[in-house]
Amino acid sequence: MAGAYVAGRATADAATPSAADGARSSSYAFRGERQAGIVTPAQDRLHFAAFDVVTDSRDDLVALLQAWTTAAEQMTAGEPAGNGAVDGDVNLPPDDTGEALDLPASGLTITFGFGPTLFRDADGKDRFGLADRQPASLRELPHFPGDLLDPERSGGDLCIQACADDPQVAVHAVRNLARIGFGTVSVRWSQLGFGRTSTTSTSQSTPRNLFGFKDGTANVKAEEADALDQHVWVGSGDDDAAAWLVGGSYLVARRINMNIEIWDRQPLGDQESFIGRTKGTGAPLSGGEEMTEPDFSMPGSNDQPVIPVDSHVRVVHPDTNGGVRMLRRGYNFVDGSNALGGLDAGLFFIAYVRDPDTHFIPVQLVMSKTDALAEYLKFTGSALFAVPPGTGPGEHVGQALFA
Amino acid sequence: MAGAYVAGRATADAATPSAADGARSSSYAFRGERQAGIVTPAQDRLHFAAFDVVTDSRDDLVALLQAWTTAAEQMTAGEPAGNGAVDGDVNLPPDDTGEALDLPASGLTITFGFGPTLFRDADGKDRFGLADRQPASLRELPHFPGDLLDPERSGGDLCIQACADDPQVAVHAVRNLARIGFGTVSVRWSQLGFGRTSTTSTSQSTPRNLFGFKDGTANVKAEEADALDQHVWVGSGDDDAAAWLVGGSYLVARRINMNIEIWDRQPLGDQESFIGRTKGTGAPLSGGEEMTEPDFSMPGSNDQPVIPVDSHVRVVHPDTNGGVRMLRRGYNFVDGSNALGGLDAGLFFIAYVRDPDTHFIPVQLVMSKTDALAEYLKFTGSALFAVPPGTGPGEHVGQALFA
């Protein structure tokens, strides 16, 4: 990335300091029919940020989205943010903060979303003349059993999901977008994720969460066009008030603390019963391989099914939930330690769904009431965003919302 | 890592989910003359943890060090922790938590240290019969200007530095060592670092910190055997009470919050003056390339040297500090957001020195008083540990201390 930023200053040989991370040269176009970062093969690392808009000016908000669009297009191409005005001009602040100058694009995607409070504030006030375009399903999520939400880790007017195979590239993207937004937005909360827990393409193998189990085996994948239309992309007849969202999606973010110290002291058999899969291969307890469909009717001991009725795989399975599926894109996190002498660790859950009212809220309600895992989880953050469709040539992010 | 852990359960083909990260198959032997993780080429990712010992039993402490030694040797070889008792025994908690089962060793190193409070508690009590072996230089660091230390991010009886090229592998190591220590230790604080800011081998290129500048250009490197003996390794005559530490080192950990939002609004020329190097190539302002020695006497404008007297490179340079050098091994961090609408970001500074009294405290005092960077830094965590030499065959970590 050194070229455009420090032309005449940088040496030609800007070697990457992350040699061990190998092939990170992939890049994804920012503009397109859909926003990148949803069905894009899930990158290894995440920096997610939610923002409060601190201006009353609709023009300033639109100008920010224009500036963010320009910078996002540059950074996802592996270029620094900015227009070249920093080339040696020592009298101006640099247009790019510099920490990714020597790094390739690293598969960076930047995905933008709009929170319910962008449309109406807590008092119902129409902040930016957008209230009549607020999607009916875009409102604060209800309280779920197990929620112990920290307001400082919840909500937000805008969000940015930056995924990359190098965490420094993801952090650089969020940091520069926050810098560009100075005076218009402020960071409400931000979350790093060090390890992906989802597979969004059949080309990827299944990673493990901090319970040590494979996660996301049955995820909706990029190759399933029909399932994406049915479960992920907002359809043209879904919400007449929100035509601008057609082709987009809803992003559900949930910070889930895992009580890993207690979990680690449970017998292997109990862990597997809670999940409904074996720890080694991830095969369902009814047998087969990881990708084998679970057989919920297979009898086990004591007249109980071999896959317990309160096992996670069963409680959240489409067969138990009217057929609904989500595209999950979560990440493991460790944010230091907790007051109990353990790690502040868990899963930063991200799901993309066509409609949270049908595809998330009912599943979460069932899960938080009946899932055997619930005992080991505490929900400490929550947010919902409408994710507009992709940005066409010459457009800015979410342009149809403001048209 | 699947083999030993889930023999008979795992499929033979345990593919890595981190395909984009490429060649992570390197591994470093745990046992040797020195502990790995000091002169080892700095890996990309860090998980550092400090522990409080919660027992009064010297035997329990020694047993923990024995168990940690076994587990560290296994995990750095790319194997799971444990002795195989979990192979299918569903009635026992697994010996390994599982989240790294499919991942290679990823260059993991695990480095152990002993804090001053392991020898004497705050009241001066000899906790484990080790007080007469406490090194004279192993005591709480003095207060420095700019220190706003959080006690919950400072100190500790024991420390573990886990470095790897995959963060999930580093987290897995710390998490399993904490699990093994349950009842004997509790986590006092823990810190993730996503990007290395140091180069410890001439084979590595120089990375960038969150000021966007190359960092660690003049670091002591593995290839400089004489400099290591002079500045990093404790010598045989250094401290008669602490013969057990000969061949080891001292680890200084400092959590340095950077005010990146203010920094980003400084003109490029000011940023370069604060550092004393150009932002693009990292060359000293006196000219040349990154590795060119700075010329502090070169005149600039207004009768001032071209490298300002308060520039970071000058203030911390060995020429300004009686020739002392440190082996630095720091990492960039972002821990969510701060109360000011920005990112809680900075540098987790780690340095290995032969003696903090001569090689760290004087430099830090000068820096915190006169360095132009000090305005943009806030020190929020601090700790000092004695790092014993390597662990020989059949030994446990730090065995000479307890002999």
Side-chain angles (χ1 to χ4, degrees):
Chain A
M1 285 170 91
Y5 178 65
V6 285
R9 289 171 163 270
T11 60
D13 177 20
T16 166
S18 297
D21 284 355
R24 290 190 165 161
S25 54
S26 59
S27 67
Y28 299 105
F30 179 71
R31 295 183 191 272
E33 185 187 357
R34 316 283 189 193
Q35 288 199 66
I38 304 173
V39 299
T40 309
Q43 301 94 325
D44 287 351
R45 321 292 170 217
L46 169 81
H47 191 184
F48 193 101
F51 295 86
D52 292 326
V53 180
V54 296
T55 178
D56 294 327
S57 162
R58 177 174 167 131
D59 289 348
D60 286 356
L61 174 59
V62 170
L64 173 64
L65 293 172
Q66 287 169 331
W68 274 2
T69 301
T70 302
E73 188 170 16
Q74 293 171 317
M75 292 191 289
T76 53
E79 297 296 323
N83 56 17
V86 296
D87 278 349
D89 188 340
V90 294
N91 298 307
L92 292 175
D95 264 9
D96 184 279
T97 57
E99 68 271 23
L101 278 179
D102 313 315
L103 303 175
S106 305
L108 174 68
T109 56
I110 302 173
T111 313
F112 295 93
F114 301 136
T117 49
L118 187 72
F119 296 82
R120 287 185 179 87
D121 69 13
D123 300 324
K125 182 185 162 200
D126 183 359
R127 297 174 66 189
F128 301 105
L130 302 170
D132 61 351
R133 297 186 168 197
Q134 180 170 2
S137 298
L138 184 67
R139 54 189 194 281
E140 193 178 353
L141 292 168
H143 176 84
F144 299 103
D147 278 6
L148 278 165
L149 302 183
D150 179 351
E152 295 184 359
R153 295 187 186 276
S154 300
D157 298 333
L158 299 168
C159 79
I160 297 174
Q161 171 199 279
C163 299
D165 290 323
D166 186 324
Q168 184 129 331
V169 170
V171 165
H172 170 264
V174 166
R175 184 243 189 118
N176 277 273
L177 295 170
R179 179 183 56 78
I180 289 167
F182 180 76
T184 306
V185 292
S186 68
V187 176
R188 182 177 174 86
W189 53 270
S190 122
Q191 178 71 53
L192 261 66
F194 64 78
R196 71 175 174 93
T197 62
S198 293
T199 302
T200 58
S201 164
T202 55
S203 67
Q204 298 186 292
S205 59
T206 309
R208 291 179 187 270
N209 61 29
L210 292 184
F211 286 146
F213 280 75
K214 293 188 178 183
D215 200 338
T217 295
N219 207 18
V220 178
K221 297 193 175 66
E223 293 80 3
E224 301 180 80
D226 289 349
L228 290 171
D229 283 339
Q230 191 179 345
H231 300 293
V232 178
W233 306 127
V234 174
S236 58
D238 287 7
D239 186 337
D240 290 339
W244 61 272
L245 189 56
V246 172
S249 189
Y250 289 88
L251 186 167
V252 182
R254 305 271 295 169
R255 186 173 186 272
I256 308 176
N257 272 90
M258 293 172 161
N259 197 333
I260 59 173
E261 289 80 13
I262 305 293
W263 176 264
D264 288 346
R265 293 201 289 279
Q266 306 309 310
L268 176 62
D270 288 2
Q271 292 186 7
E272 294 184 332
S273 292
F274 298 153
I275 300 286
R277 295 182 177 275
T278 63
K279 196 160 191 173
T281 66
L285 294 182
S286 49
E289 305 292 327
E290 182 198 343
M291 295 299 168
T292 306
E293 266 296 306
D295 179 354
F296 296 124
S297 65
M298 182 182 286
S301 55
N302 301 323
D303 286 334
Q304 295 296 311
V306 70
I307 300 179
V309 293
D310 63 351
S311 67
H312 180 68
V313 67
R314 185 181 192 120
V315 169
V316 301
H317 195 275
D319 290 355
T320 329
N321 293 280
V324 301
R325 300 173 66 191
M326 312 176 195
L327 187 150
R328 280 159 292 154
R329 232 180 183 283
Y331 286 83
N332 297 321
F333 72 83
V334 172
D335 291 341
S337 56
N338 60 32
L340 303 173
L343 298 177
D344 181 356
L347 171 66
F348 187 72
F349 173 94
I350 297 175
Y352 287 91
V353 293
R354 180 173 178 174
D355 186 342
D357 281 355
T358 54
H359 280 64
F360 177 74
I361 293 172
V363 182
Q364 179 63 36
L365 270 175
V366 169
M367 185 186 151
S368 52
K369 286 177 181 168
T370 65
D371 194 314
L373 278 188
E375 189 179 343
Y376 301 91
L377 306 178
K378 190 171 71 176
F379 293 83
T380 51
S382 180
L384 178 65
F385 301 95
V387 174
T391 307
E395 291 183 356
H396 65 74
V397 168
Q399 184 156 323
L401 170 60
F402 295 86
Chain B
M1 286 170 92
Y5 179 64
V6 286
R9 289 171 163 267
T11 60
D13 177 21
T16 166
S18 297
D21 284 354
R24 290 188 165 163
S25 54
S26 59
S27 68
Y28 299 105
F30 179 71
R31 295 183 190 273
E33 185 187 357
R34 317 283 187 192
Q35 286 199 66
I38 303 173
V39 299
T40 309
Q43 301 94 327
D44 288 352
R45 323 290 169 217
L46 167 80
H47 192 184
F48 193 101
F51 296 84
D52 292 327
V53 179
V54 296
T55 177
D56 293 329
S57 161
R58 178 177 167 128
D59 288 347
D60 287 354
L61 175 60
V62 171
L64 173 64
L65 293 171
Q66 288 168 330
W68 274 1
T69 301
T70 302
E73 188 169 17
Q74 294 171 316
M75 292 191 289
T76 53
E79 297 296 324
N83 57 17
V86 297
D87 278 347
D89 188 339
V90 295
N91 298 308
L92 292 175
D95 264 8
D96 183 279
T97 56
E99 68 271 22
L101 278 179
D102 313 315
L103 303 175
S106 306
L108 174 68
T109 55
I110 301 172
T111 314
F112 295 92
F114 301 136
T117 48
L118 187 72
F119 296 82
R120 286 184 180 87
D121 69 13
D123 301 324
K125 181 186 164 200
D126 183 358
R127 297 174 67 190
F128 301 104
L130 302 171
D132 61 350
R133 297 185 168 198
Q134 180 169 3
S137 299
L138 184 67
R139 55 189 193 283
E140 191 178 356
L141 292 169
H143 175 84
F144 299 103
D147 277 7
L148 279 164
L149 302 182
D150 179 351
E152 296 184 359
R153 295 187 185 276
S154 299
D157 298 332
L158 300 168
C159 79
I160 296 174
Q161 172 200 278
C163 298
D165 290 321
D166 186 323
Q168 184 129 332
V169 170
V171 166
H172 170 263
V174 167
R175 184 241 190 118
N176 277 274
L177 295 171
R179 179 183 57 79
I180 289 166
F182 180 76
T184 306
V185 292
S186 68
V187 177
R188 181 178 175 86
W189 53 270
S190 121
Q191 179 71 53
L192 261 66
F194 63 79
R196 71 176 174 92
T197 62
S198 293
T199 303
T200 57
S201 165
T202 55
S203 66
Q204 297 186 293
S205 60
T206 310
R208 292 179 186 269
N209 61 29
L210 292 184
F211 286 147
F213 280 76
K214 292 188 178 183
D215 200 340
T217 296
N219 207 19
V220 178
K221 297 191 175 68
E223 293 80 2
E224 301 179 80
D226 289 349
L228 290 172
D229 283 338
Q230 191 178 346
H231 299 293
V232 177
W233 305 128
V234 174
S236 59
D238 287 6
D239 185 338
D240 290 340
W244 61 272
L245 189 56
V246 171
S249 189
Y250 290 88
L251 186 166
V252 182
R254 305 272 293 170
R255 186 173 186 271
I256 308 176
N257 272 90
M258 293 172 161
N259 197 333
I260 58 172
E261 289 81 13
I262 305 294
W263 175 265
D264 289 345
R265 295 201 287 279
Q266 306 309 309
L268 176 63
D270 288 2
Q271 292 186 8
E272 294 183 334
S273 291
F274 298 153
I275 301 286
R277 295 181 178 274
T278 64
K279 195 160 191 174
T281 67
L285 295 183
S286 49
E289 305 291 329
E290 182 197 343
M291 295 299 169
T292 306
E293 266 297 305
D295 179 355
F296 296 124
S297 64
M298 182 182 287
S301 55
N302 301 323
D303 287 333
Q304 295 296 312
V306 70
I307 300 178
V309 293
D310 63 352
S311 67
H312 180 69
V313 66
R314 185 181 191 120
V315 169
V316 302
H317 195 275
D319 289 357
T320 330
N321 292 280
V324 301
R325 300 172 66 191
M326 312 177 193
L327 186 149
R328 281 159 293 155
R329 233 179 184 282
Y331 286 84
N332 298 321
F333 72 83
V334 171
D335 290 341
S337 56
N338 61 33
L340 303 172
L343 298 176
D344 181 356
L347 171 68
F348 187 71
F349 173 94
I350 297 174
Y352 287 90
V353 294
R354 179 174 179 173
D355 186 341
D357 282 355
T358 54
H359 280 63
F360 176 76
I361 293 172
V363 183
Q364 179 62 36
L365 270 174
V366 169
M367 184 186 151
S368 52
K369 285 177 182 168
T370 65
D371 194 313
L373 276 189
E375 191 179 340
Y376 301 91
L377 305 177
K378 192 171 70 177
F379 294 82
T380 51
S382 181
L384 178 65
F385 302 95
V387 173
T391 308
E395 291 184 356
H396 66 73
V397 168
Q399 183 155 326
L401 170 60
F402 295 87

